[in-house]
Amino acid sequence: MSNTDKLSRKLFLRSLGSFVLSGTIGGAVSGCLTACNRLGRTNLTNSTYSTNFPVKMLGPSMAVGHRLRDMLGRLNPAFADEVKADFCKVVIVGGGIAGLSTGWWLQRHGFNDFTLLELESACGGNSRSGKNKVSAYPWGAHYVPLPNLESHYVRLLFAELGLIEGDYSVAAPRYNDLHLCHDPQERLFKDGQFQDGLVPRRGLKLEDSLEIRRFFELVHELRDAVGADGRPAFAIPVDLSSQEPKFRELDEITFAQWLEQRNFNSKPLLWYIDYCCRDDYGALSANISAWAGLHYFAGRRGRAANAETNSVVTFPSGNGYLAQALKEKIRAHIIESAPVLRILPGQKLSRVIYEQDGKTKALQAETVIFAAPRFLAPYIIADYKLEKKPEYAPWLVANLTLSGVPGSRGTPLAWDNVSYYGDSLGYVVANHQEITTRRSSIVITYYRPLARMPAAQARRFLQAQGETFWRDEIVKDLEIMHPGIGALITSMELWPWGHGMVSPSQGYMWTGRQKLERRFKSVVFAHSDMSGISNFEEAQYQGIMAAETIISSGTALKEST
Amino acid sequence: MIYPLLITAFVISTCGLVYELIAGTVASYLLGDSVTQFSTVIGVYLFAMGVGSFLSRYIEKRVIETFIKVELLVGLIGGFSATALFVLFEHVENFRILLYGLVLLIGILVGLEVPLLMRILEKKLDFKELVSQVFTFDYVGALLASLLFPLVLVPHLGLLRVAFLFGIFNVIVAFWSVRLFKDELRARESNFFKGAAALCAIVLVCGFAFSEKIMSFAESATFSEPIIFSTTTPYQRIVITGNGRDIRLYLNGNLQFSTRDEYRYHEALVHPLMASLPKPEDVLVLGGGDGMAVREVLKYPSVKSVQLVDLDEKMTRLFSEQAFLTKLNKNSLKDRRVSVLNGDAFVWLRELDGKRQFDAIIVDFPDPSNFSLGKLYSDTFYKTLRKALKPGGLVVIQSTSPYYAKNSYWCVVNTLKASGFLTTPYHAYVPAFGDWGYVIGSLQPFDAPRQYPPGLAYISPESFACMLEFPHDMQPTKLAVNRLNNQELVHLFEAEWSEYEQH
């Protein structure tokens, strides 16, 4: 509320200005009138905002997770041995992008003896999605940037799904227009108006503009940098990056330190950089490694024949579309709502104890692919100890259905709509890609990383606050961009992510994550937390690498016989 | 008792001035030219107050009762004044009569207030005191109103609510007066007034509470001709104006046709394409819910079926049922060969996916003035369109003005070319619009027709030959392909037309 007050005061001062400046009655009257009209319209509802709509708290199955923790004590090895076990060569634990990609890759190579167990009622992990009458919408990841040349597996999948048309291995492939983000792509709310693009352009001092230019020149240089080993300085997946020390050393300081060393002080620039860090890592530049921070700006080199370089591939259900497509491919191998209670890795055979329809079941496997976040591993894998847990950033994601497009000043509604104020990342319009002209209702996905407090504290805070608290927080935040938006909201659903994504904190990219085992006895790990960056490309890469360990040993076996 | 009445003087003068300011503001807002609107409204209002003061002499008895009645009336009329002006703007033929009538009425009532109040007070103060006190409070109230109105009231409440609020104040004055003079009023009367005041108050409070809905309903557009029909559909606002034989259709305030010269627009849109086809049988019309393009299509006896796809059901219903409109399109939408489908063209074509194909496709969409319309001019759309075309078939696209928006026009041509069509751009002069552009897309080289159906007023082989020539001032300075992911056309269109909108 205070912000709309501020806005009106500012507008009024401006209209007073025109009173004084114009000097003529006509000017004064019309100056006053334009202000009156504008204000009369924008302030029809400024007194209180409406929160008269249903709110529902969804979220990952905490209940299952907690029950799992409770059962651990009771589940002794003897009991586990009693359960009759079927044999299955490979068991994949976890149906996020990593696990689904493992399955896709195995199947592509003719390995069909695998089963994927998913805790939740639907696969997808961070790429889960929902759907209502108006649109499908994401609960987490919602786009993939144009894949780089080295992002071979992403391109391959895109070609398989018809997202890339024609040759996928050329520098700039042709993409399916319907899934390239339609224009307008991004807008930023600053100083009372929306501007095109997310890099602040309004109200800049000359120093700000110069620093912003210097920053982009620097990151563009890094984007094109190639190490002595012939690899790009910042690659996607990160494992393909140059190993040259001058790049890897960037991991030893924080991104904020790196910026300070290079005298970047401009407030709008630092806002933009922090925005990007919160967007990609759920953390501030002071809490992430400089290597990871720079990776965001210097890692994306993908091009398209029919779009600009900053374009992205997106869907109403976000990356839920890709998760669903992968799932379709290996549907027969998937068991959903099947929490894994225990993994007992043996020398030759491992036992996986899981629950299905209230019954405890077991599978015997030659290899178990553990495609769940690593912090869960000590609870599930017998005798496995984790020396240092990776850090995970907590997030709140909300999907709001609006009965109309919220009014705003400046650039019209875009796909990604960001505010310079507040702690959220703004919102993405889920049905932006619709080709209909009769769109009246929209679904917006609101993202809020809890980046400003330590993760553990933020997680407790996230769980402690009820739906009314978050409802009021979200509406209050959105009202800054769109006074009166409350009255347009017809429903709101919330999804708290306690361990939303791995945080690439200082030293994690090239020291911390290297200490995570790739294998424990016959358990092979696959998750984006092993990359240090939580996104589709990394999750897919880790999943495929895990599958490769099986495929390569399998071929070896075939050759020996 | 004196001070309450002086406060009353203060309140009623504040209210009176606020109504005047509201009328002036609404008039400038809706009619433009704020200097004229403000001075005429203020003049009429002051004059009406004079009339009111004059009339007060005819009230001889029951001054208190009259005063209370006047307060209730001012409250009610003043309270609803802004709303009435906004809502009725599009529905009355002569808005100025309504405006000045309302100003006159409120002015007369407000003009009655002070003389009546002075007569009520005359027994309680001596003349010198009375004049000094009443006018002091009156003018102080006026100052307060003139400061509060622009600085506090309108910015925080909006015009409609301000009017309702001050209506409520008038009603409170009435209520208060009933209580002050309860000894001088008969009990029955006093109760009646209280009831009436309560009723007025409830109505005004409701108005205050729902003013926002009213405001969004009363969005305003300015039309120079009398409005003979208007309606709001989920997709657009349809306004039809009529001035003698000139009937005009506006969608969201943009002129779609004028009956004076629509034949030029529609002949140029339909005939070059249709007449060049040897035997067009199946025709698809996208947009064009007014049925005018279909009317021209039906001039070809070989046509067996016309499929019209228009988003807006209200629009096609209007043009197939309203007698004065079906006269314009020769009842084309009711022809047995024509089937009307209300849906989204892009979605419909994608679902069709080439399962049905046409000899001729006529694309008559609104100009690409926003991003959702821009998608209907994208290369993706034209590629989808291609699948619905029979081999040897033709498409024609209305593509904005090559004079006012030359880069936009050539962007449409270029996008069509990039989607695999051979293009034949041409333009025609339509007085209501200016110089207007079209482009024919074909898969084989296009041959201009040598013969047209009889009875055409505009198109002939000779006139069409001229249409193919584009002089220097219609040549593009920039060539772009309009894609879903760049919406070049909308950006160009916005930039080019805004030059003409800023006078």
Side-chain angles (χ1 to χ4, degrees), chain B residues 452-468:
Chain B
Y452 286 95
L456 297 187
Y458 183 46
I459 288 275
S460 65
E462 296 75 26
S463 66
F464 184 65
C466 301
M467 290 180 190
L468 293 167

PDB file of all heavy atoms in Angstrom, chain B residues 452-468:
ATOM      1  N   TYR B 452     -13.403  -9.160 -64.678  1.00  0.00           N
ATOM      2  CA  TYR B 452     -13.998  -9.178 -63.344  1.00  0.00           C
ATOM      3  C   TYR B 452     -15.497  -9.396 -63.445  1.00  0.00           C
ATOM      4  O   TYR B 452     -16.083  -9.166 -64.511  1.00  0.00           O
ATOM      5  CB  TYR B 452     -13.708  -7.852 -62.629  1.00  0.00           C
ATOM      6  CG  TYR B 452     -12.276  -7.727 -62.158  1.00  0.00           C
ATOM      7  CD1 TYR B 452     -11.318  -7.074 -62.933  1.00  0.00           C
ATOM      8  CD2 TYR B 452     -11.890  -8.285 -60.944  1.00  0.00           C
ATOM      9  CE1 TYR B 452      -9.998  -6.969 -62.501  1.00  0.00           C
ATOM     10  CE2 TYR B 452     -10.579  -8.181 -60.505  1.00  0.00           C
ATOM     11  CZ  TYR B 452      -9.638  -7.528 -61.283  1.00  0.00           C
ATOM     12  OH  TYR B 452      -8.358  -7.441 -60.845  1.00  0.00           O
ATOM     13  N   PRO B 453     -16.152  -9.798 -62.378  1.00  0.00           N
ATOM     14  CA  PRO B 453     -17.621  -9.942 -62.435  1.00  0.00           C
ATOM     15  C   PRO B 453     -18.258  -8.594 -62.768  1.00  0.00           C
ATOM     16  O   PRO B 453     -17.686  -7.550 -62.430  1.00  0.00           O
ATOM     17  CB  PRO B 453     -18.012 -10.372 -61.015  1.00  0.00           C
ATOM     18  CG  PRO B 453     -16.761 -10.777 -60.346  1.00  0.00           C
ATOM     19  CD  PRO B 453     -15.631 -10.118 -61.056  1.00  0.00           C
ATOM     20  N   PRO B 454     -19.414  -8.599 -63.392  1.00  0.00           N
ATOM     21  CA  PRO B 454     -20.047  -7.327 -63.756  1.00  0.00           C
ATOM     22  C   PRO B 454     -20.534  -6.591 -62.505  1.00  0.00           C
ATOM     23  O   PRO B 454     -20.757  -7.199 -61.459  1.00  0.00           O
ATOM     24  CB  PRO B 454     -21.230  -7.759 -64.630  1.00  0.00           C
ATOM     25  CG  PRO B 454     -21.511  -9.172 -64.221  1.00  0.00           C
ATOM     26  CD  PRO B 454     -20.196  -9.769 -63.807  1.00  0.00           C
ATOM     27  N   GLY B 455     -20.661  -5.287 -62.632  1.00  0.00           N
ATOM     28  CA  GLY B 455     -21.285  -4.504 -61.559  1.00  0.00           C
ATOM     29  C   GLY B 455     -20.329  -4.005 -60.493  1.00  0.00           C
ATOM     30  O   GLY B 455     -20.776  -3.488 -59.475  1.00  0.00           O
ATOM     31  N   LEU B 456     -19.013  -4.170 -60.671  1.00  0.00           N
ATOM     32  CA  LEU B 456     -18.089  -3.660 -59.665  1.00  0.00           C
ATOM     33  C   LEU B 456     -17.888  -2.158 -59.866  1.00  0.00           C
ATOM     34  O   LEU B 456     -17.840  -1.670 -60.995  1.00  0.00           O
ATOM     35  CB  LEU B 456     -16.744  -4.379 -59.751  1.00  0.00           C
ATOM     36  CG  LEU B 456     -16.761  -5.881 -59.466  1.00  0.00           C
ATOM     37  CD1 LEU B 456     -15.334  -6.421 -59.412  1.00  0.00           C
ATOM     38  CD2 LEU B 456     -17.498  -6.201 -58.170  1.00  0.00           C
ATOM     39  N   ALA B 457     -17.763  -1.434 -58.766  1.00  0.00           N
ATOM     40  CA  ALA B 457     -17.665   0.018 -58.865  1.00  0.00           C
ATOM     41  C   ALA B 457     -16.222   0.498 -58.913  1.00  0.00           C
ATOM     42  O   ALA B 457     -15.948   1.619 -59.320  1.00  0.00           O
ATOM     43  CB  ALA B 457     -18.378   0.663 -57.678  1.00  0.00           C
ATOM     44  N   TYR B 458     -15.310  -0.330 -58.480  1.00  0.00           N
ATOM     45  CA  TYR B 458     -13.960   0.176 -58.276  1.00  0.00           C
ATOM     46  C   TYR B 458     -12.902  -0.610 -59.049  1.00  0.00           C
ATOM     47  O   TYR B 458     -12.085  -0.059 -59.770  1.00  0.00           O
ATOM     48  CB  TYR B 458     -13.655   0.160 -56.776  1.00  0.00           C
ATOM     49  CG  TYR B 458     -12.310   0.713 -56.389  1.00  0.00           C
ATOM     50  CD1 TYR B 458     -11.846   1.917 -56.918  1.00  0.00           C
ATOM     51  CD2 TYR B 458     -11.518   0.039 -55.471  1.00  0.00           C
ATOM     52  CE1 TYR B 458     -10.617   2.425 -56.538  1.00  0.00           C
ATOM     53  CE2 TYR B 458     -10.288   0.548 -55.097  1.00  0.00           C
ATOM     54  CZ  TYR B 458      -9.832   1.744 -55.626  1.00  0.00           C
ATOM     55  OH  TYR B 458      -8.629   2.244 -55.267  1.00  0.00           O
ATOM     56  N   ILE B 459     -12.957  -1.941 -58.898  1.00  0.00           N
ATOM     57  CA  ILE B 459     -11.891  -2.763 -59.470  1.00  0.00           C
ATOM     58  C   ILE B 459     -12.124  -3.034 -60.955  1.00  0.00           C
ATOM     59  O   ILE B 459     -13.238  -3.390 -61.364  1.00  0.00           O
ATOM     60  CB  ILE B 459     -11.793  -4.109 -58.720  1.00  0.00           C
ATOM     61  CG1 ILE B 459     -11.210  -3.883 -57.328  1.00  0.00           C
ATOM     62  CG2 ILE B 459     -10.971  -5.117 -59.478  1.00  0.00           C
ATOM     63  CD1 ILE B 459      -9.714  -3.857 -57.281  1.00  0.00           C
ATOM     64  N   SER B 460     -11.081  -2.854 -61.718  1.00  0.00           N
ATOM     65  CA  SER B 460     -11.103  -3.229 -63.133  1.00  0.00           C
ATOM     66  C   SER B 460      -9.676  -3.617 -63.497  1.00  0.00           C
ATOM     67  O   SER B 460      -8.758  -3.323 -62.730  1.00  0.00           O
ATOM     68  CB  SER B 460     -11.553  -2.037 -63.975  1.00  0.00           C
ATOM     69  OG  SER B 460     -10.578  -1.006 -63.880  1.00  0.00           O
ATOM     70  N   PRO B 461      -9.444  -4.268 -64.648  1.00  0.00           N
ATOM     71  CA  PRO B 461      -8.064  -4.628 -65.013  1.00  0.00           C
ATOM     72  C   PRO B 461      -7.166  -3.395 -65.011  1.00  0.00           C
ATOM     73  O   PRO B 461      -6.025  -3.451 -64.556  1.00  0.00           O
ATOM     74  CB  PRO B 461      -8.218  -5.216 -66.413  1.00  0.00           C
ATOM     75  CG  PRO B 461      -9.598  -5.752 -66.444  1.00  0.00           C
ATOM     76  CD  PRO B 461     -10.421  -4.830 -65.612  1.00  0.00           C
ATOM     77  N   GLU B 462      -7.694  -2.236 -65.449  1.00  0.00           N
ATOM     78  CA  GLU B 462      -6.886  -1.025 -65.523  1.00  0.00           C
ATOM     79  C   GLU B 462      -6.564  -0.497 -64.127  1.00  0.00           C
ATOM     80  O   GLU B 462      -5.421  -0.152 -63.826  1.00  0.00           O
ATOM     81  CB  GLU B 462      -7.617   0.083 -66.325  1.00  0.00           C
ATOM     82  CG  GLU B 462      -7.864  -0.254 -67.788  1.00  0.00           C
ATOM     83  CD  GLU B 462      -8.991  -1.268 -67.990  1.00  0.00           C
ATOM     84  OE1 GLU B 462      -9.891  -1.351 -67.118  1.00  0.00           O
ATOM     85  OE2 GLU B 462      -8.972  -2.003 -69.004  1.00  0.00           O
ATOM     86  N   SER B 463      -7.595  -0.426 -63.266  1.00  0.00           N
ATOM     87  CA  SER B 463      -7.339   0.131 -61.932  1.00  0.00           C
ATOM     88  C   SER B 463      -6.405  -0.785 -61.153  1.00  0.00           C
ATOM     89  O   SER B 463      -5.551  -0.314 -60.403  1.00  0.00           O
ATOM     90  CB  SER B 463      -8.640   0.372 -61.166  1.00  0.00           C
ATOM     91  OG  SER B 463      -9.289  -0.839 -60.883  1.00  0.00           O
ATOM     92  N   PHE B 464      -6.532  -2.089 -61.370  1.00  0.00           N
ATOM     93  CA  PHE B 464      -5.658  -2.996 -60.627  1.00  0.00           C
ATOM     94  C   PHE B 464      -4.202  -2.841 -61.072  1.00  0.00           C
ATOM     95  O   PHE B 464      -3.279  -2.920 -60.248  1.00  0.00           O
ATOM     96  CB  PHE B 464      -6.117  -4.450 -60.772  1.00  0.00           C
ATOM     97  CG  PHE B 464      -5.305  -5.408 -59.942  1.00  0.00           C
ATOM     98  CD1 PHE B 464      -5.331  -5.333 -58.551  1.00  0.00           C
ATOM     99  CD2 PHE B 464      -4.483  -6.358 -60.544  1.00  0.00           C
ATOM    100  CE1 PHE B 464      -4.564  -6.193 -57.776  1.00  0.00           C
ATOM    101  CE2 PHE B 464      -3.711  -7.219 -59.771  1.00  0.00           C
ATOM    102  CZ  PHE B 464      -3.755  -7.140 -58.389  1.00  0.00           C
ATOM    103  N   ALA B 465      -4.009  -2.585 -62.358  1.00  0.00           N
ATOM    104  CA  ALA B 465      -2.640  -2.393 -62.852  1.00  0.00           C
ATOM    105  C   ALA B 465      -1.962  -1.246 -62.116  1.00  0.00           C
ATOM    106  O   ALA B 465      -0.777  -1.313 -61.767  1.00  0.00           O
ATOM    107  CB  ALA B 465      -2.662  -2.142 -64.352  1.00  0.00           C
ATOM    108  N   CYS B 466      -2.740  -0.164 -61.844  1.00  0.00           N
ATOM    109  CA  CYS B 466      -2.172   0.972 -61.101  1.00  0.00           C
ATOM    110  C   CYS B 466      -1.853   0.587 -59.664  1.00  0.00           C
ATOM    111  O   CYS B 466      -0.913   1.091 -59.065  1.00  0.00           O
ATOM    112  CB  CYS B 466      -3.153   2.142 -61.071  1.00  0.00           C
ATOM    113  SG  CYS B 466      -3.589   2.706 -62.689  1.00  0.00           S
ATOM    114  N   MET B 467      -2.685  -0.295 -59.107  1.00  0.00           N
ATOM    115  CA  MET B 467      -2.514  -0.667 -57.698  1.00  0.00           C
ATOM    116  C   MET B 467      -1.196  -1.388 -57.450  1.00  0.00           C
ATOM    117  O   MET B 467      -0.725  -1.468 -56.330  1.00  0.00           O
ATOM    118  CB  MET B 467      -3.660  -1.572 -57.256  1.00  0.00           C
ATOM    119  CG  MET B 467      -4.986  -0.869 -57.156  1.00  0.00           C
ATOM    120  SD  MET B 467      -6.228  -2.049 -56.623  1.00  0.00           S
ATOM    121  CE  MET B 467      -7.685  -1.067 -56.870  1.00  0.00           C
ATOM    122  N   LEU B 468      -0.646  -1.948 -58.500  1.00  0.00           N
ATOM    123  CA  LEU B 468       0.589  -2.728 -58.327  1.00  0.00           C
ATOM    124  C   LEU B 468       1.818  -1.826 -58.234  1.00  0.00           C
ATOM    125  O   LEU B 468       2.907  -2.279 -57.914  1.00  0.00           O
ATOM    126  CB  LEU B 468       0.749  -3.705 -59.494  1.00  0.00           C
ATOM    127  CG  LEU B 468      -0.309  -4.814 -59.537  1.00  0.00           C
ATOM    128  CD1 LEU B 468      -0.276  -5.532 -60.887  1.00  0.00           C
ATOM    129  CD2 LEU B 468      -0.112  -5.813 -58.411  1.00  0.00           C
TER     130      LEU B 468
END
